[in-house]
Structures are given as structure tokens and as C-alpha cells.
């Protein structure tokens, strides 16, 4: 595999360290507190804090509070909260540009004394007119001829508040014919008679961004001032100010990267403010907004956003990223984390005529390819509810769910067959009378002889909990939205009477869930209560928009077979369909993994060869589809440094509990770079999984002893803290402890 290419910013940083230009790397994240931070800020946060972390430096969080008419403490708090939530810490390095107002003013006075700045009294329109055009040089104001003494007097009186807004400005005296129009005597200060949320009414003048920013960087000892490409032309002002003042080195330098642009999304704070203040969305944390607060309330994880930022990389040229890539990141993150449960959003009653009494069905929260433990008991009774779309009286071709002639399996339960359809006076189906097969229960030997092609979700009528579901979709209906005229009228759908299995509400195994065949959902952190549970849709199981936007096939194209995958009908060739059926029916792979392997000839052959060496289809397929496929995105198949035999050895160690799935990822990364045998890597680095309780128990005892408050909360009923204790034990053992054994031992210790 080719080595991962280092981004250009880190190359600059490394060269500066090697040359001795700086002793310590200092970056900064300098937002203006005039709105809530969005996903573009998340990219900037990850770059600035990430570079500081990678090179043992530090990153300052600095609020660029130079415009008192738009800024507010609530925005400062939102920015701090976003940085913390993403997992970064500025320590003691929280600053405000207003901290430096006196120093910046003194620097302005110094420029006036040098004859490099003057007070201009032209109107705003005249200043704009005199600036010239791209093809014509500008015209300098007659006020540029004022003496140093007059400029100093006027500037001092501006500071004291003797003039009205717009009556005077302070400008740098540079070059009115400069090719870079930013250098045509740019403004340094303007008059603003407005209350500042931190400085109060102490100032009547405020520095412009271009003047304050470079000086704030210098005062704080910033080395690398990293900003987006729209500030590229501003770099000349940045350098002019610092060079003209001849400030003592070391000094900072500005570097630009491409800002984040996402389709179906607006990133302008002005437009976001318009949406919020116009009532088009429900506040800055509306789950449809691209704000970090919005993503957080919707249910996105910090890891998914940071992984997204890492995947899109750091470029020098602007481009537009497909929002589907962000949606993939959250799916990929949640797939191995969240429990699977059943929720019925559009209930249709089913009465099982030959069933009496009730029972509880034990069902796992996680599929077999997710290395997590946990299960719940699902009540089963005579009266159930299924999804209305899971029954068709006159089914289309390729429909594999319940019909008058086609049986179906109730997920984790029994096979049922439709016996009678009950309709109301208007002909609407209101109930299905069904028959169940007692000898068809999941997890037992099925002797019913009934063959089914699909399993559907359901809930018991008596025990199901009523929940509100908020189905969020993209806020805009066009790829490149301009404003409110492009809003998607269907961006939010609220379902008031959905039904969910009781363990989700009563046992609360997590805050995020996969509602099977529906998508990923999150307990709304604001509106949720046990009396009125509310769930936000994070993302669907698939990119439904990609399906909507596919061009219609020409009628002359040959027809292909279709196969049912997670409730969606996806075209497949006959050969692919056979492979898919083999992997799902015989090898018991889940639909998504089988689908990927069936469609990719190289991955399929790679998997088959590995399988011939190690009979662990689920573990092997998971590695091939997730890890091997990821490497192939960045390198050619011929350049792979590992073989199917290596992957088989890795899978075997997982199956035999020699290493954990988490350690296996680390081993895979090493193997993909070096080509070394995975067994040798494990032995050389001492990565063998700890499964001996005698080695794990002392660590558990230490964690429990160090967290008495959390122990008390857990024993008082806060079951969510169980994951905290397990996580601490795994962390202290470097991820080597066997998670299954840790779960059991922690459970015993906390009784």
C-alpha cells in the first residue's frame, strides 16, 4: 500500500520545525461570535487543534469580537461547547480580540506616526468609488495629505466618541494602484457607537478584521495562522502590517486551505441567521441545520464528524463535497456501536388466531458481526402491530413480505401466514387475521417446512410504547441552494403514534438506535421524556436521495433480476443474485455485507480465497468489506502488501479470542503498511488479548475505587454508566482486555 500522503499544511509545519524557525507550534481557531458554528468550523477546528496536537504544540481559542453590533455571549458559549464536544481542549488558552484593544490601538498610533496611516473623512460611497476596479487603479483621498499631528488628534477624538458613526475611518497608506485591491489603502478602524458584550462602552472605535487578526496572532505567539481560501488576498495586508511595524521575531505567517462546501447545504452565517430569525427552522440547534449544535441534536457523533473531516482531506482548491459522504460517516460510525430494535411507524394490527397467552422472546441487541454483548426480552402475544407497508393485498413483482399467499417471519419470532383481511367501510385494511407456526421460532430448530424470503419488524399491542418520531430530511431541495426559495417542504415529518418495543424506553440500553429497516435514531436531548419519548432520525440505512436522482433507464436496456435487500429493491445480475443468496442463506452474512461482496468481483474472490483457509465467514467478510475495501480506495489491487492468507490468519486470531476486534484493526493497519505476517505483529508488539479474570479483576477494582460517585449513581438506577466502567477498564488495559469477559466481571462487581 502506498504511504498516506501528508497534507501540505503539515508539510509546512514539519519544515518549519526542522529549520528551527519555531520552537513550539502554536495555532488558533479564531471565530467571530456572531452565530452558531457549523460543519465548516468543525473542519477548521479539526485542522488547527489537530496540527497543534500532532506536533506537541497548543491551539488557542480566540473570539474575534471586533463587531459589537452582531456579537453575543450566547454565541461564545456555543463556540466553546462545539470545540469541547468535538473532543478538543484549549486549556488556559481562551482569548478575545477585545483583550488586545489597547495594544492594537497603540499599534495604529505607531503607524500614524510613521506616516503609514491616516484618518479619512470620505463617505462610504466615495471610498468605494475611489477604490477603482480590477482594470483601473484607485484614487487616493485628499484627506491622505493630513499631517501626522492632525491624524493623531482626529484618531484620539474618534476614540473618545466625539464623532458619529461613519464620519471618519482610519486607513493604511499603501498603494491605490495595487493589483490586489485589498491593498488599496484598506480600512484599519471604524466608528461604532454600540455596546460591546465584554468591553461595555469603553470604546467608540473598533479595529477591522485585517488589522486586528494579524496583531492578535502576533501577541499570542501564533506560528501558523491557518484560514480558508477567501482570505488569500488578505494575506498581503497581514504581512504588510507585521512587516511595516517591524515587530520582533518570531512572527506568524498565514496559510490558506479550501473551505468546506457541501451540496444541499448553505454555510453562510448570514443565510443561517435568516433561517433562524425568520422561523424557517426551530432555532440554531434545529437538526436540519448544518450547525454543530444541529448535528449534535440530530444524533451525529463527534467521531463521525471528525472522520468526515479527515476523509475529505485538506486541499488548496475549492470544491463541493457530496453530503452523502457525511451521511456515510455517521452510518459507518453507528453501525458498530448502536443496538438494533424494532419500531413500527405506521401500525397495522395483526391478530394471531391460533395463539393463546403470551411469552417473552430473548433477542440480541447486536448482529453477529458487531462485537458487542447485550440482549432484551421482547413481549409476544396474540395481538401485534406490523408496519403497514409490510403487507400487500396485491403485491408487485419482487415483493417478499406478507401477502395473502406469502408467509413471512416475524423478526426474532415465528413465521405467520395471512388467513383473513379485515377492512373498514371505506375499503381500508384495518386488521390482518393470521396463523402462526409454533415450530418455526427463531433460534430453535425450525421444523415447520415453511420457506420465507423476508423478516419484518413488529411489536406486541399490549406492551408497545407510543413514541413521537421526527423524520428529518435535507433542508434544501436543490444541490446549490441560494436561499429560502430552495427550502425542501418535506424536510420534517412528525409521526405522533409510532410504536416501539418496551425495552427501549424502560431499560434505555443506549441513546442511539438502529430501528431495523428504518434507519438510525436518537433520543431528542431537549424534548424527550419517559412520558413523551421523542426520537430524531439521524440518517437512513441507505442514501435515498441517490436513488431518487438516478436517471431513468432506457427502455432498450436489458432487464435484470432484482433482489430484496433491507426492504429496498436493487438491480442485480443473475450471477450476482446467486452469490448474494449463497452468502445470506448458506454463510449467514448480513444483507449489506453480502450485497457488497456479490457486486465487487475482486473483493468476492479475495473473500473466497481467505475463506478456503479459515472457516469464519462472518469475521472474514467484515474485514474484507470494511478494511480491505478501504485500502483499495487508495491503492491498486496489485500493490496490496497483504494476501487473503494474511486476512485469514487475522480472522482466526479474532475467532480464537487471541486478539480483540479493536486490536485487529491496529494489526491490520500495521500489516497493510509492512506486509508482515499478522501473527508476528501480535507477538512482537505484545497484543495478545487478556482473557484471564485474575489479570482483569484488579483493574476493575481500581476503576470502581476511583469512581465512587459513578458507582453510587449506577446502583441508584443509572444503567447507562455501565458502559463507562467497561470503557475505563478497556482503556487501562490498552484495549487488550477481552470485552466479553470485562462485561461479565464488571456486572458481577457492580451488583
Amino acid at each position: 500500500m502506498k504511504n498516506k500522503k501528508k497534507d501540505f499544511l503539515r508539510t509546512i509545519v514539519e519544515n518549519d520545525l526542522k529549520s528551527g524557525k519555531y520552537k513550539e507550534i502554536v495555532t488558533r481557531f479564531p471565530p467571530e461570535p456572531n452565530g452558531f458554528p457549523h460543519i465548516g468550523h468543525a473542519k477548521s477546528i479539526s485542522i488547527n487543534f489537530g496540527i497543534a496536537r500532532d506536533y506537541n504544540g497548543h491551539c488557542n481559542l480566540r473570539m474575534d469580537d471586533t463587531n459589537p453590533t452582531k456579537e453575543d455571549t450566547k454565541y461564545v458559549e456555543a463556540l466553546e461547547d462545539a470545540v469541547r464536544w468535538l473532543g478538543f481542549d484549549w486549556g488556559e488558552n481562551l482569548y478575545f480580540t477585545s483583550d488586545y484593544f489597547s495594544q492594537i490601538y497603540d499599534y495604529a498610533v505607531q503607524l500614524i506616526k510613521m506616516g503609514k496611516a491616516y484618518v479619512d473623512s470620505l463617505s462610504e460611497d466615495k471610498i468605494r468609488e475611489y477604490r477603482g476596479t480590477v482594470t483601473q487603479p484607485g484614487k487616493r483621498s485628499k484627506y491622505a495629505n493630513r499631517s501626522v499631528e492632525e491624524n493623531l488628534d482626529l484618531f484620539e477624538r474618534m476614540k473618545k466618541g466625539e464623532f458619529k458613526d461613519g464620519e471618519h475611518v482610519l486607513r493604511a497608506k499603501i498603494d491605490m494602484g495595487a493589483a490586489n485591491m485589498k491593498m488599496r489603502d484598506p480600512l484599519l478602524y471604524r466608528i461604532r457607537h454600540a455596546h460591546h458584550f465584554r468591553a461595555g462602552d469603553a470604546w467608540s472605535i473598533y479595529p477591522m478584521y485585517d488589522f486586528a487578526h494579524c496583531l492578535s496572532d502576533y501577541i499570542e505567539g501564533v506560528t501558523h495562522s491557518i484560514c480558508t481560501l477567501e482570505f488569500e488576498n488578505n494575506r498581503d495586508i497581514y504581512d504588510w502590517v507585521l512587516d511595516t511595524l517591524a515587530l520582533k521575531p518570531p512572527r506568524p505567517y498565514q496559510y490558506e486551505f479550501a473551505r468546506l462546501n457541501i451540496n444541499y447545504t448553505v454555510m453562510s452565517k448570514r443565510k443561517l441567521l435568516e433561517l433562524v430569525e425568520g422561523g424557517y427552522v426551530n432555532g440554531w440547534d434545529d437538526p436540519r441545520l448544518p450547525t454543530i449544535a444541529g448535528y449534535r441534536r440530530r444524533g451525529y457523533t463527534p467521531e463521525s464528524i471528525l472522520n468526515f473531516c479527515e476523509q475529505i482531506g485538506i486541499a488548496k482548491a475549492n470544491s463541493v463535497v457530496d453530503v452523502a459522504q457525511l451521511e456515510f460517516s455517521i452510518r459507518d460510525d453507528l453501525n458498530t456501536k448502536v443496538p438494533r430494535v424494532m419500531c413500527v411507524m405506521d401500525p397495522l394490527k395483526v391478530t394471531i388466531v391460533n395463539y393463546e397467552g403470551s411469552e417473552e422472546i430473548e433477542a440480541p441487541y447486536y448482529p453477529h458481526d458487531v462485537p458487542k454483548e447485550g440482549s432484551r426480552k421482547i413481549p409476544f402475544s396474540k395481538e401485534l402491530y406490523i408496519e403497514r407497508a409490510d403487507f400487500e393485498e396485491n403485491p408487485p413483482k419482487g415483493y417478499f413480505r406478507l401477502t395473502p399467499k406469502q408467509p413471512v417471519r416475524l423478526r426474532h419470532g415465528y413465521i405467520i401466514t395471512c388467513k383473513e383481511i379485515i377492512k373498514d367501510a371505506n375499503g381500508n385494511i384495518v386488521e390482518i387475521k393470521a396463523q402462526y407456526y409454533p415450530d418455526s421460532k427463531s433460534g430453535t430448530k425450525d421444523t415447520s417446512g415453511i420457506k420465507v424470503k423476508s423478516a419484518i419488524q413488529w411489536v406486541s399491542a399490549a406492551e408497545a410504547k407510543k413514541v413521537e418520531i421526527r423524520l428529518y430530511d435535507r433542508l434544501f431541495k436543490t444541490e446549490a441552494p441560494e436561499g429560502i426559495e430552495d427550502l425542501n417542504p418535506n424536510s420534517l415529518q412528525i409521526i405522533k403514534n409510532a410504536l416501539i418495543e418496551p425495552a427501549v424506553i424502560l431499560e434505555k440500553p443506549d441513546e442511539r438506535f438502529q430501528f431495523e429497516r428504518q434507519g438510525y435514531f436518537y433520543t431528542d436531548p431537549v424534548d424527550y421524556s419517559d412520558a413523551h419519548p421523542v426520537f430524531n432520525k439521524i440518517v437512513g440505512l441507505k442514501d435515498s436521495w441517490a436513488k431518487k436522482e438516478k436517471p431513468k433507464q432506457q427502455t432498450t436496456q436489458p432487464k435484470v433480476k432484482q433482489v430484496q435487500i433491507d426492504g429496498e429493491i436493487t438491480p442485480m445480475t443473475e450471477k450476482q443474485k446467486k452469490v448474494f443468496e449463497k452468502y445470506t442463506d448458506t454463510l449467514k452474512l448480513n444483507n449489506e455485507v453480502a450485497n457488497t461482496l456479490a457486486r465487487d468481483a475482486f473483493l468476492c474472490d479475495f473473500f473466497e480465497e481467505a475463506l478456503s483457509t479459515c472457516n469464519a465467514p462472518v469475521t472474514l467478510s467484515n474485514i474484507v468489506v470494511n478494511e480491505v475495501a478501504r485500502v483499495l480506495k487508495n491503492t491498486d489491487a496489485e500493490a496490496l502488501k497483504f494476501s487473503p492468507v494474511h486476512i485469514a490468519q487475522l480472522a482466526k486470531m479474532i475467532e480464537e479470542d487471541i486478539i480483540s476486534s479493536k486490536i485487529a484493526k491496529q494489526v491490520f493497519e500495521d500489516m497493510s503498511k509492512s506486509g508482515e505476517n499478522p501473527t508476528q505483529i501480535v507477538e512482537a508488539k505484545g497484543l495478545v488479548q487478556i482473557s484471564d479474570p485474575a489479570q482483569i479483576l484488579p483493574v476493575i477494582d481500581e476503576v470502581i475505587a476511583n469512581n465512587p460517585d459513578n458507582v453510587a449513581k449506577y446502583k441508584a438506577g443509572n444503567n447507562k454508566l455501565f458502559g463507562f466502567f467497561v470503557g475505563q477498564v478497556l482503556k487501562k488495559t490498552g484495549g487488550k482486555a477481552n470485552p466479553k469477559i470485562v462485561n461479565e466481571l464488571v456486572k458481577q462487581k457492580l451488583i
Side-chain angles (χ1 to χ4, degrees):
M1 175 183 173
K2 299 172 184 175
N3 290 328
K4 183 179 178 182
K5 189 177 179 181
K6 191 180 280 93
D7 65 74
F8 76 95
L9 291 175
R10 284 175 168 79
T11 299
I12 291 170
V13 168
E14 288 189 5
N15 290 338
D16 287 346
L17 285 172
K18 288 177 183 176
S19 68
K21 187 174 183 178
Y22 303 110
K23 292 182 180 179
E24 182 189 19
I25 299 302
V26 181
T27 58
R28 85 289 169 273
F29 172 55
E32 184 180 358
N34 62 353
F36 275 52
H38 53 61
I39 189 72
H41 293 103
K43 180 178 179 181
S44 181
I45 291 168
S46 69
I47 290 173
N48 282 289
F49 279 91
I51 286 176
R53 174 201 61 209
D54 292 349
Y55 295 97
N56 299 315
H58 70 267
C59 180
N60 298 342
L61 174 58
R62 180 173 73 239
M63 303 297 167
D64 178 32
D65 55 340
T66 56
N67 188 351
T69 62
K70 296 182 179 180
E71 296 155 359
D72 196 285
T73 303
K74 68 180 180 181
Y75 298 134
V76 172
E77 293 170 350
L79 286 157
E80 292 179 1
D81 191 49
V83 175
R84 284 196 199 94
W85 183 70
L86 287 170
F88 297 106
D89 181 13
W90 56 85
E92 298 179 353
N93 304 303
L94 172 62
Y95 304 108
F96 293 80
T97 302
S98 56
D99 294 339
Y100 316 128
F101 277 175
S102 294
Q103 290 168 275
I104 294 171
Y105 178 83
D106 290 342
Y107 282 127
V109 169
Q110 189 175 334
L111 286 176
I112 294 172
K113 290 179 178 179
M114 295 169 66
K116 297 294 184 179
Y118 62 94
V119 174
D120 193 2
S121 305
L122 290 177
S123 68
E124 187 176 337
D125 289 340
K126 280 294 182 182
I127 289 175
R128 189 180 301 110
E129 177 188 333
Y130 279 25
R131 187 170 287 124
T133 66
V134 176
T135 57
Q136 293 181 327
K139 175 184 175 182
R140 180 161 279 158
S141 169
K142 64 180 181 180
Y143 298 109
N145 296 321
R146 283 171 167 156
S147 67
V148 169
E149 291 73 21
E150 185 180 3
N151 282 320
L152 288 173
D153 176 63
L154 285 170
F155 191 48
E156 174 69 19
R157 292 168 63 192
M158 287 168 62
K159 176 188 175 186
K160 290 180 178 179
E162 295 183 16
F163 304 110
K164 298 177 182 177
D165 286 8
E167 195 169 348
H168 303 291
V169 293
L170 183 70
R171 299 179 69 175
K173 185 182 284 188
I174 305 178
D175 181 3
M176 290 303 294
N180 180 356
M181 292 183 66
K182 295 279 189 182
M183 296 293 283
R184 296 181 183 180
D185 290 11
L187 273 61
L188 303 182
Y189 268 90
R190 79 288 208 201
I191 300 171
R192 284 282 189 276
H193 289 285
H195 182 80
H196 190 282
F197 74 97
R198 292 189 77 247
D201 300 314
W203 292 87
S204 297
I205 56 172
Y206 292 91
M208 303 297 289
Y209 170 85
D210 285 325
F211 188 52
H213 188 70
C214 56
L215 291 171
S216 298
D217 283 348
Y218 176 76
I219 293 167
E220 291 176 10
V222 170
T223 58
H224 297 78
S225 186
I226 302 167
C227 56
T228 47
L229 275 177
E230 65 261 38
F231 293 100
E232 186 174 18
N233 288 335
N234 302 60
R235 191 195 329 140
D236 287 343
I237 306 176
Y238 190 101
D239 290 338
W240 181 88
V241 171
L242 297 180
D243 292 343
T244 302
L245 288 169
L247 298 175
K248 181 181 177 182
R251 53 152 285 191
Y253 287 87
Q254 177 178 305
Y255 303 95
E256 305 88 22
F257 68 95
R259 66 176 293 166
L260 176 59
N261 297 298
I262 304 178
N263 60 6
Y264 296 99
T265 309
V266 295
M267 306 287 265
S268 160
K269 283 196 283 187
R270 176 183 61 80
K271 292 181 180 179
L272 292 174
L273 184 63
E274 180 184 7
L275 291 171
V276 172
E277 294 188 338
Y280 299 102
V281 294
N282 299 314
W284 284 101
D285 67 344
D286 189 297
R288 293 167 291 180
L289 286 180
T291 57
I292 296 175
Y295 285 119
R296 184 176 180 179
R297 183 169 179 181
R298 185 160 177 168
Y300 274 69
T301 60
E303 295 85 358
S304 66
I305 291 178
L306 293 176
N307 287 340
F308 168 70
C309 292
E310 182 179 353
Q311 288 166 10
I312 60 177
I314 303 174
K316 292 185 178 181
N318 283 324
S319 61
V320 178
V321 176
D322 192 341
V323 68
Q325 193 166 344
L326 174 60
E327 292 166 350
F328 171 82
S329 293
I330 184 62
R331 282 193 203 96
D332 188 54
D333 186 48
L334 295 181
N335 181 49
T336 57
K337 289 182 176 179
V338 303
R340 275 64 165 170
V341 297
M342 295 189 291
C343 178
V344 174
M345 297 190 188
D346 186 10
L348 174 62
K349 187 176 181 180
V350 173
T351 301
I352 305 176
V353 296
N354 63 329
Y355 185 91
E356 297 298 333
S358 64
E359 63 181 288
E360 290 185 324
I361 296 175
E362 184 84 18
Y365 276 124
Y366 306 96
H368 48 68
D369 57 346
V370 173
K372 294 187 73 172
E373 299 292 321
S375 64
R376 79 284 195 192
K377 295 184 186 301
I378 307 173
F380 185 86
S381 61
K382 184 183 187 72
E383 294 184 344
L384 311 172
Y385 284 103
I386 65 169
E387 201 69 54
R388 188 170 295 275
D390 284 341
F391 177 80
E392 282 287 347
E393 185 176 11
N394 301 297
K397 186 178 180 181
Y399 186 85
F400 296 119
R401 285 160 278 173
L402 186 62
T403 75
K405 296 181 179 180
Q406 182 171 268
V408 74
R409 179 176 292 281
L410 298 173
R411 179 80 163 133
H412 303 301
Y414 300 95
I415 294 173
I416 61 171
T417 300
C418 174
K419 306 305 289 184
E420 183 183 355
I421 302 172
I422 309 298
K423 298 182 179 181
D424 63 14
N426 297 318
N428 300 312
I429 300 173
V430 294
E431 184 180 357
I432 301 297
K433 300 286 187 180
Q435 173 183 323
Y436 92 114
Y437 296 88
D439 50 357
S440 66
K441 187 176 181 181
S442 292
T444 64
K445 187 175 181 180
D446 185 348
T447 59
S448 68
I450 306 295
K451 297 294 183 183
V452 294
K453 296 183 178 181
S454 184
I456 62 174
Q457 68 263 41
W458 56 276
V459 292
S460 176
E463 292 83 6
K465 300 295 181 181
K466 186 183 294 185
V467 297
E468 178 179 316
I469 303 291
R470 296 173 182 174
L471 301 175
Y472 291 103
D473 204 343
R474 296 177 186 176
L475 184 58
F476 292 95
K477 61 188 176 183
T478 56
E479 274 203 75
E482 292 294 329
I484 57 175
E485 65 276 9
D486 295 319
L487 285 170
N488 174 15
N490 301 312
S491 62
L492 172 59
Q493 178 188 356
I494 299 177
I495 299 173
K496 293 284 190 180
N497 298 310
L499 298 172
I500 203 164
E501 56 177 280
V504 175
I505 308 301
L506 301 177
E507 298 178 13
K508 295 183 174 63
D510 207 319
E511 294 178 326
R512 295 177 180 84
F513 301 87
Q514 183 190 110
F515 292 177
E516 297 205 39
R517 298 173 60 239
Q518 305 276 19
Y520 292 98
F521 290 79
Y522 179 57
T523 56
D524 186 277
V526 177
D527 296 334
Y528 182 97
S529 69
D530 287 348
H532 180 64
V534 178
F535 290 87
N536 298 330
K537 184 177 182 180
I538 307 171
V539 69
L541 296 177
K542 295 183 179 179
D543 182 3
S544 58
W545 280 71
K547 184 179 179 183
K548 291 177 192 174
E549 295 170 358
K550 282 182 181 177
K552 292 182 179 179
Q553 290 186 344
Q554 304 260 341
T555 54
T556 54
Q557 288 182 326
K559 292 184 178 180
V560 296
K561 291 282 185 181
Q562 297 184 319
V563 63
Q564 182 79 13
I565 302 175
D566 285 345
E568 300 283 347
I569 297 179
T570 305
M572 272 192 179
T573 65
E574 192 65 30
K575 181 179 178 181
Q576 288 172 337
K577 181 182 176 185
K578 288 180 180 178
V579 173
F580 176 86
E581 290 175 345
K582 169 190 170 185
Y583 287 170
T584 53
D585 295 344
T586 306
L587 299 185
K588 305 301 181 185
L589 305 186
N590 71 36
N591 286 350
E592 188 173 350
V593 170
N595 178 47
T596 301
L597 291 174
R599 294 175 184 276
D600 190 311
F602 178 84
L603 290 180
C604 186
D605 291 341
F606 194 102
F607 168 68
E608 290 285 354
E609 188 173 342
L611 189 62
S612 67
T613 304
C614 174
N615 186 24
V618 173
T619 302
L620 277 172
S621 62
N622 197 37
I623 297 173
V624 172
V625 167
N626 292 302
E627 307 302 332
V628 177
R630 177 173 54 82
V631 172
L632 283 171
K633 290 180 181 178
N634 301 314
T635 190
D636 297 326
E638 295 78 15
L640 291 178
K641 293 190 176 181
F642 54 85
S643 68
V645 174
H646 287 114
I647 299 301
Q649 292 172 344
L650 187 62
K652 185 178 180 182
M653 285 190 285
I654 297 173
E655 289 289 304
E656 294 177 353
D657 276 344
I658 295 173
I659 59 173
S660 65
S661 297
K662 182 177 180 181
I663 294 296
K665 289 180 179 292
Q666 178 185 336
V667 176
F668 177 85
E669 291 299 325
D670 292 347
M671 180 180 69
S672 63
K673 294 174 183 176
S674 66
E676 190 177 357
N677 184 297
T679 305
Q680 295 173 343
I681 294 173
V682 170
E683 291 176 355
K685 294 193 172 184
L687 300 175
V688 175
Q689 184 166 246
I690 303 171
S691 297
D692 184 358
Q695 293 179 267
I696 298 173
L697 281 170
V699 180
I700 295 175
D701 290 337
E702 181 184 350
V703 169
I704 289 175
N706 291 338
N707 296 278
D709 291 343
N710 282 343
V711 172
K713 290 177 183 177
Y714 176 84
K715 291 185 176 181
N718 188 348
N719 295 329
K720 291 182 181 179
L721 286 170
F722 183 79
F724 164 82
F725 292 106
V726 172
Q728 288 295 305
V729 174
L730 293 175
K731 183 177 180 181
K732 284 187 173 293
T733 60
K736 295 180 185 178
N738 187 323
K740 295 179 182 178
I741 295 177
V742 171
N743 268 272
E744 287 301 318
L745 294 176
V746 169
K747 195 179 297 181
Q748 294 172 17
K749 282 286 185 177
L750 289 175
I751 292 176

